[in-house]
Amino acid sequence: MEGGPRVPEQRRPGSVTVAGPEALRFGVLGPVRAWRGAEQIGTGSPQQRALLAALLLREGRTATAAELIDALWGTEPPSQALAALRTYASRLRKILDPGVLVSESGGYAIRGLGEGALDLARAQELAARAEKARATGDLHRARDLLGEALGRWDGEPLAGVPGPYAETQRVRLEEWRLGLLESRLDMDLEQGCHAEAVSELTALTAAHPLRERLRELLMLALYRSGRQAEALAVYADTRRLLSEELGVDPRAGLSELQQRILQADPALAEPPSPAAESPAPTVRPAQLPASVPDFTGRTAFVDELSEVLGSASQSLDAGGRVMAVSALAGIGGVGKTTLAVHVAHRARAAFPDGQLYVDLQGAGPRPAEPETVLGSFLRALGTADSAIPDSMEERAALYRSVLDGRRVLVLLDNAKDAAQVRPLLPGTEGCAALVTSRVRMVDLAGAHLVDLDVMSPEEALALFTKIVSEERVAAEREAALDVVAACGFLPLAIRIAASRLAARRTWTVSVLAAKLADERRRLDELQAGDLAVKATFELGYGQLEPAQARAFRLLGLADGPDISLAAAAAVLDLPAEETEDLLESLVDTSLLESAAPGRYRFHDLVRLYARACAERDEQPPGEREAAMSRLLDFYLATAAQVYAMERPGDRLVDHLEATEYPGLRFEERNRARDWLYTEAICLLACVCQSTRPDQLRRAVDLLWAVIDLAESGANSKEYEATGAAVRAAAQSCGDQRAEARSLVTLANGHHMSGRFELADQEAAGAVQLAETVADPLPQCWASNMLGVISLYQSRHTAGEGHLTRAIQSFRAAGDRPGEASALCNLSRIRLAMGRTESAVKLAQQGTDMYDDMGHALKGANGRYALGLALTQSGQLGLAAERLEEALDVFRDSRQRLWEGMTLFRLSEVDLAAGRLTQAATNAEWALARLRGIGGEWRRGNVLTALGRALTGIGQIGRAQVCLQEALAVYETLHAPEADEVRALLKPLAVA
């Protein structure tokens, strides 16, 4: 970002002009234009615009007539150049506000413009702010600012402006723009956006082939995206190009990067980590319990709390603020006391006048009385027994008086609530209090609240290793990771498990991992001596009111990472308002966590404890099954509404199992879609959990209703695993109807993942079973799917038969969206058979049907098919329009797989139209969107298109790498496309 052009302040010294709604604005980062408010005003002839540009770029300084003539005409001005200059100036003065264009010392200047009146000035300001943000480590903010600066460009700077000065400035501004772009891309890579950067860098290197910094960034982006061969090919292409065009070798930095890639330098694999912050000053209270010798991790919390304590110790000298209070909250066993004691020991030097500690017994049946604690504190501070008053209020007042002017740290451990804590706070500057509690003390005025979560996996493994020994853990690292994961990364559970292992030299880590793998016995295994995870949770559970305890038990039954408020209301069979009150009260006790507004979750071990409580305490026992049935009904009813909103007229919703408990209602498609993707994992978990015979059909129908989760690619793997689970359950209980429907979901999942043989088998099985049980809809869907799979397997005649039957079946069922889908798929079969005119007609017919029904998402699938047919018919402009329309819908609907495939098809259109750089860009974007989804065959197709585009723009080395990778994919799959790729590679081998 350095070296940017200086930009004028555009106002006289000592004056400040603020741009109002009708103020003048100017643009030079594109055509030279002017606006008054929102209205664009004419700037005259090219020479007149050249004069305006020269004055705007003079930084408010006066330009002499000779300088301006030279700027406009160079060394060969016309004979009447001075008269012409004056004419242009006179015309500009009439256009601009009075006093803006001034005559001075035989020349001209532009003065008095408001702040930000020139787009270049605004861009330069944004670039400077970006540089400062980057220097402070705020890369995200820096990147946004640079993006905003680059957004000020509107094409070529000073476009259409004649004269040597304008040409010089054009080159300078373009060079600056490229420098800003390189800085932004460099930050993209620092933030891990490697795949996204590849597409843009591919286009930029094609446009600026000799710019080595862009090549260097492209190499790094490719390498970090796992495309080492392509990264090396970029270097080879660059070296060849520089040799041919300039007769030079690549600069040292580029050559060094090539060597580091060849050596697989680990430092290249990830962006550099920010330097670690300096630890906070250590502090040391005098009366604290001993800190554990194996304290591990919690660095961010230690630093945060130490900073608060440090501010308290400094406030007395500064005459500053009031006493600092930090309140730590978290579930039992999360390490609140351990952390607080550790932080207090670090802070001891800042509190030389004393340290106080008390266990307030807040989690037990008899919490400590504040007046008793105050008496103990006063004695510890040197107050004689005879001087200690009787009442709590008098003791609190004396306590505060004794502490006045002192630097004392007070650790109030295991507090029940804020009412217990308030009388024990010093209340004077220079002192500080640390409070730990299972309750989040939102009503403790002025407190710095800290919610303590479980350890990170790295911290948990480090704690386990410290207790067990490096030697034993190093030999069985994977088993050790399993152990700490089974402990839910809860420090108390890890300490118990590690202590048990350390005391049993004959056990291996794997033995302990196996014991903890059984969820039914896990809590029983997590006890050692007087430490037990279950006992810790029992203290909190025992203090719950009956309604809280019921909510705690029933919510623990649901699988999934969290649960929404609406879903929880279904489980509890309560109104949303009452449910929210209960859940928030459980959050306050730290037995439940608030994952996000309106969403709640259990710690894994707390969930196991809640389920154990449900089995032990829930009466009648059937209430557990009823709660889970209500949750399944809620999810199915809501998912059916989302499906109906996305696919108006689709008959699937009429064939789903009936539900008793209602679902949510949505007014907008976006809200419905948000719900589906937010709840994705919870929905699939509910399906897997609902395999009892009385729930199975609803579970299968729920999986079918959320089929967008497979088609989007976002949750395709989880979707397939869930389909396999319900298919196995249907087979186990002999429910052929449920099995047929589960096979439809499995076939769709395999199809989207590119496993066409498996998809073919499952779809054929679905047709057979659906005929047996007379369930028409799976038969329609599966026949449609068999036709698509036949297309991919080049069995066109068979595919035509399947799709013809599908069309007839959908028509018989009155399912117009299904019929439109089969028509569009038949279009693709006809296209593969060379019947292009029929293909266009069928795709148009299907798309029109979708549009008539207001079917935006499936209408995008229709436009996708129509775009393919139009491409093959040579109607490239129309093909691109239809595909762009489809792309917008797929992006809006979060259909990542179809977004990637549409970008791939656009790259094919670009190739046919000779837009090679754009073809490479779209293919790169397609690769990025399809990463991890869609299967290898689709990836091979995109790599082939990218290889063809790169060949066309002269990046032969990269093209070879892409095509060779595509060939390997096709050969592994025994796909016929391998012959086409071999033909593309052949001429490159001798290039």
Side-chain angles (χ1 to χ4, degrees):
M1 289 179 285
E2 296 179 359
R6 286 186 65 223
V7 180
E9 289 287 338
Q10 300 294 358
R11 54 181 179 263
R12 294 179 186 275
S15 70
V16 176
T17 304
V18 179
E22 298 300 318
L24 282 174
R25 294 183 295 111
F26 296 91
V28 293
L29 298 178
V32 175
R33 290 172 291 188
W35 295 267
R36 180 173 286 104
E39 180 185 359
Q40 184 172 343
I41 58 179
T43 50
S45 65
Q47 283 78 13
Q48 193 169 307
R49 293 197 301 275
L51 172 61
L52 176 61
L55 294 174
L56 287 170
L57 293 173
R58 291 286 292 182
E59 304 186 4
R61 300 190 309 274
T62 301
T64 66
E67 289 172 335
L68 292 171
I69 290 171
D70 185 62
L72 268 63
W73 291 286
T75 57
E76 297 181 359
S79 57
Q80 300 298 315
L82 183 58
L85 179 67
R86 289 171 177 166
T87 300
Y88 299 148
S90 175
R91 291 173 181 172
L92 283 175
R93 191 176 282 114
K94 293 176 182 177
I95 295 170
L96 304 180
D97 292 344
V100 172
L101 178 58
V102 297
S103 301
E104 194 173 74
S105 304
Y108 300 96
I110 285 184
R111 302 258 175 79
L113 299 183
E115 292 184 12
L118 181 63
D119 58 358
L120 177 58
R122 179 61 177 153
Q124 193 264 356
E125 177 197 351
L126 289 165
R129 288 167 57 194
E131 188 170 354
K132 290 180 182 177
R134 186 175 188 180
T136 62
D138 190 353
L139 293 181
H140 183 76
R141 175 66 175 155
R143 187 193 181 284
D144 287 347
L145 288 167
L146 273 188
E148 190 178 347
L150 288 164
R152 300 286 162 172
W153 265 262
D154 186 18
E156 182 184 49
L158 308 176
V161 174
Y165 179 78
E167 182 58 35
T168 300
Q169 294 301 314
R170 256 192 299 273
V171 172
R172 182 171 68 97
L173 291 171
E174 176 61 14
E175 180 65 25
W176 185 50
R177 185 187 73 86
L178 287 173
L180 294 179
L181 199 53
E182 287 169 348
S183 293
R184 200 215 73 211
L185 286 163
D186 192 26
M187 283 186 276
D188 286 350
L189 299 189
E190 286 189 56
Q191 295 178 83
C193 301
H194 318 131
E196 295 83 351
V198 169
S199 176
E200 188 173 2
L201 283 164
T202 297
L204 285 169
T205 53
H208 306 279
L210 298 177
R211 198 170 180 94
E212 293 183 65
R213 178 57 179 157
L214 289 174
R215 298 272 184 159
E216 184 177 349
L217 291 170
L218 177 57
M219 288 173 65
L220 187 56
L222 287 167
Y223 181 74
R224 288 183 178 168
S225 300
R227 298 159 70 176
Q228 179 179 358
E230 283 186 70
L232 293 170
V234 170
Y235 179 80
D237 286 338
T238 306
R239 185 175 183 179
R240 173 184 54 78
L241 186 66
L242 291 173
S243 177
E244 292 175 355
E245 297 290 331
L246 304 176
V248 298
D249 290 329
R251 60 185 179 83
L254 204 62
S255 301
E256 180 185 347
L257 178 58
Q258 183 226 17
Q259 289 300 313
R260 294 178 69 189
I261 291 174
L262 286 170
Q263 296 163 7
D265 184 347
L268 282 181
E270 294 295 336
S273 300
E277 295 184 10
S278 300
T282 57
V283 270
R284 178 190 162 207
Q287 298 182 353
L288 296 172
S291 181
V292 295
D294 49 22
F295 184 87
T296 303
R298 306 299 203 185
T299 305
F301 289 111
V302 171
D303 289 347
E304 180 181 351
L305 292 168
S306 296
E307 183 179 352
V308 175
L309 292 180
S311 67
S313 69
Q314 296 162 12
S315 64
L316 190 61
D317 292 335
R321 63 187 196 85
V322 298
M323 178 267 313
V325 180
S326 291
L328 285 74
I331 61 172
V334 80
K336 302 181 294 294
T337 299
T338 302
L339 173 62
V341 170
H342 179 78
V343 170
H345 274 290
R346 282 177 53 118
R348 67 190 293 190
F351 299 95
D353 295 325
Q355 304 80 32
L356 299 170
Y357 169 85
V358 64
D359 181 355
L360 293 172
Q361 300 292 319
R366 291 183 296 276
E369 295 294 337
E371 55 264 40
T372 303
V373 176
L374 284 168
S376 174
F377 278 177
L378 285 168
R379 291 185 190 96
L381 290 167
T383 306
D385 284 349
S386 59
I388 298 176
D390 292 331
S391 72
M392 185 188 72
E393 292 76 12
E394 289 178 316
R395 289 186 177 191
L398 177 59
Y399 170 66
R400 291 191 293 272
S401 297
V402 169
L403 290 179
D404 186 34
R406 297 189 185 184
R407 295 180 175 178
V408 175
L409 176 63
V410 182
L411 177 47
L412 305 173
D413 194 19
N414 194 13
K416 178 185 178 182
D417 53 27
Q420 186 189 31
V421 166
R422 288 191 192 99
L424 308 178
L425 298 178
T428 55
E429 64 270 15
C431 292
L434 274 175
V435 184
T436 74
S437 176
R438 299 190 183 197
V439 176
R440 194 166 192 268
M441 295 195 177
V442 294
D443 52 344
L444 190 60
H448 175 76
L449 303 182
V450 176
D451 295 318
L452 191 58
D453 203 350
V454 296
M455 287 181 149
S456 68
E458 297 78 15
E459 290 175 334
L461 184 61
L463 175 59
F464 185 77
T465 303
K466 281 187 177 181
I467 299 171
V468 172
S469 82
E470 179 72 39
E471 181 181 358
R472 294 178 76 181
V473 172
E476 297 181 275
R477 180 178 172 81
E478 290 302 317
L481 288 170
D482 291 340
V483 168
V484 296
C487 292
F489 309 110
L490 187 72
L492 175 63
I494 296 165
R495 186 173 295 281
I496 291 172
S499 298
R500 291 190 69 197
L501 184 60
R504 292 162 175 80
R505 303 302 300 176
T506 59
W507 281 16
T508 63
V509 182
S510 299
V511 167
L512 178 60
K515 288 179 175 292
L516 295 176
D518 185 353
E519 287 190 353
R520 294 169 300 177
R521 289 199 43 79
R522 186 176 296 167
L523 288 174
D524 294 328
E525 293 289 346
L526 289 173
Q527 54 185 352
D530 62 349
L531 293 178
V533 171
K534 185 187 294 186
T536 299
F537 297 157
E538 191 74 45
L539 286 172
Y541 177 65
Q543 293 189 340
L544 298 179
E545 298 294 332
Q548 293 175 313
R550 174 181 178 268
F552 176 73
R553 294 190 300 268
L554 292 183
L555 291 175
L557 297 173
D559 285 341
D562 59 5
I563 191 167
S564 68
L565 176 60
V571 171
L572 301 179
D573 198 16
L574 293 172
E577 295 81 3
E578 187 175 345
T579 301
E580 185 174 22
D581 289 342
L582 280 173
L583 269 56
E584 287 297 327
S585 70
L586 289 174
V587 170
D588 288 340
T589 66
S590 297
L591 286 172
L592 191 68
E593 301 173 19
S594 178
R599 301 198 71 83
Y600 301 87
R601 69 184 175 209
F602 282 105
H603 180 271
D604 290 346
L605 293 180
V606 177
R607 185 198 302 276
L608 293 179
Y609 176 72
R611 289 182 178 177
C613 291
E615 293 177 6
R616 182 188 69 194
D617 303 337
E618 197 61 43
Q619 298 297 331
E623 175 60 10
R624 300 197 300 271
E625 288 71 28
M628 294 310 298
S629 181
R630 289 192 296 270
L631 179 63
L632 178 58
D633 273 1
F634 167 77
Y635 280 148
L636 177 55
T638 309
Q641 203 222 343
V642 175
Y643 186 95
M645 292 184 75
E646 289 282 15
R647 297 170 171 81
D650 195 303
R651 293 295 309 282
L652 173 62
V653 293
D654 301 325
H655 292 261
L656 299 175
E657 286 287 300
T659 58
E660 295 182 6
Y661 195 91
L664 296 174
R665 308 294 296 178
F666 301 101
E667 298 296 329
E668 301 174 359
R669 282 180 60 240
N670 285 340
R671 296 286 298 275
R673 194 183 305 124
D674 287 343
W675 179 88
L676 176 64
Y677 288 103
T678 299
E679 297 288 351
I681 302 301
C682 295
L683 292 168
L684 298 178
C686 183
V687 172
C688 285
Q689 199 175 5
S690 306
T691 54
R692 292 161 44 101
D694 61 323
Q695 298 175 335
L696 181 58
R697 290 193 175 186
R698 282 179 290 159
V700 172
D701 283 357
L702 173 56
L703 187 63
W704 198 350
V706 298
I707 199 166
D708 280 345
L709 298 180
E711 295 198 3
S712 71
N715 303 97
S716 53
K717 292 181 181 178
E718 297 90 345
Y719 189 92
E720 289 176 45
T722 306
V726 293
R727 190 260 302 270
Q731 290 175 333
S732 176
C733 66
D735 190 335
Q736 291 185 318
R737 179 182 180 277
E739 184 181 355
R741 293 187 170 209
S742 69
L743 287 173
V744 171
T745 66
L746 267 178
N748 187 71
H750 290 316
H751 162 225
M752 291 301 163
S753 298
R755 294 187 291 273
F756 302 128
E757 290 186 9
L758 285 174
D760 188 65
Q761 293 172 18
E762 308 291 20
V767 169
Q768 184 177 355
L769 281 174
E771 289 175 349
T772 301
V773 298
D775 191 4
L777 211 58
Q779 186 178 351
C780 298
W781 276 60
S783 296
N784 192 17
M785 208 172 301
L786 284 168
V788 177
I789 296 163
S790 298
L791 168 68
Y792 295 143
Q793 295 179 331
S794 300
R795 296 185 287 110
H796 303 138
T797 302
E800 192 173 27
H802 289 307
L803 290 168
T804 301
R805 285 190 292 275
I807 291 170
Q808 294 169 350
S809 299
F810 279 124
R811 283 175 179 165
D815 192 331
R816 295 189 72 232
E819 179 187 347
S821 172
L823 285 168
C824 291
N825 290 332
L826 183 58
S827 162
R828 297 186 60 185
I829 288 280
R830 295 276 171 83
L831 194 64
M833 298 171 76
R835 300 167 61 182
T836 305
E837 185 176 346
S838 173
V840 172
K841 182 179 178 181
L842 286 167
Q844 187 66 63
Q845 182 183 351
T847 303
D848 289 344
M849 290 177 66
Y850 282 135
D851 289 347
D852 289 343
M853 292 180 283
H855 216 314
L857 177 57
K858 298 304 289 183
N861 289 116
R863 284 168 171 75
Y864 177 88
L866 183 56
L868 301 188
L870 291 169
T871 301
Q872 192 155 317
S873 70
Q875 301 178 66
L876 301 182
L878 286 175
E881 288 179 16
R882 298 293 85 78
L883 290 171
E884 290 284 0
E885 291 167 359
L887 182 62
D888 289 341
V889 175
F890 289 141
R891 281 176 174 159
D892 183 60
S893 301
R894 306 178 201 176
Q895 294 286 314
R896 189 157 65 94
L897 185 145
W898 286 111
E899 181 187 345
M901 289 304 298
T902 307
L903 286 163
F904 159 60
R905 297 302 184 183
L906 281 167
S907 75
E908 291 189 319
V909 174
D910 293 328
L911 283 168
R915 297 187 294 268
L916 301 177
T917 299
Q918 187 60 43
T921 299
N922 279 327
E924 282 286 2
W925 275 113
L927 276 180
R929 300 309 292 154
L930 292 174
R931 176 172 295 142
I933 62 174
E936 287 296 284
W937 181 76
R938 291 185 175 94
R939 192 170 72 90
N941 291 344
V942 181
L943 285 167
T944 302
L946 179 57
R948 292 173 60 197
L950 292 172
T951 299
I953 61 178
Q955 297 189 16
I956 306 302
R958 275 190 70 197
Q960 285 180 303
V961 172
C962 292
L963 292 172
Q964 286 164 353
E965 194 171 345
L967 179 60
V969 168
Y970 291 142
E971 288 178 342
T972 300
L973 299 175
H974 306 290
E977 291 86 354
D979 291 335
E980 175 195 351
V981 177
R982 291 189 190 96
L984 291 171
L985 278 167
K986 192 172 182 180
L988 300 185
V990 296

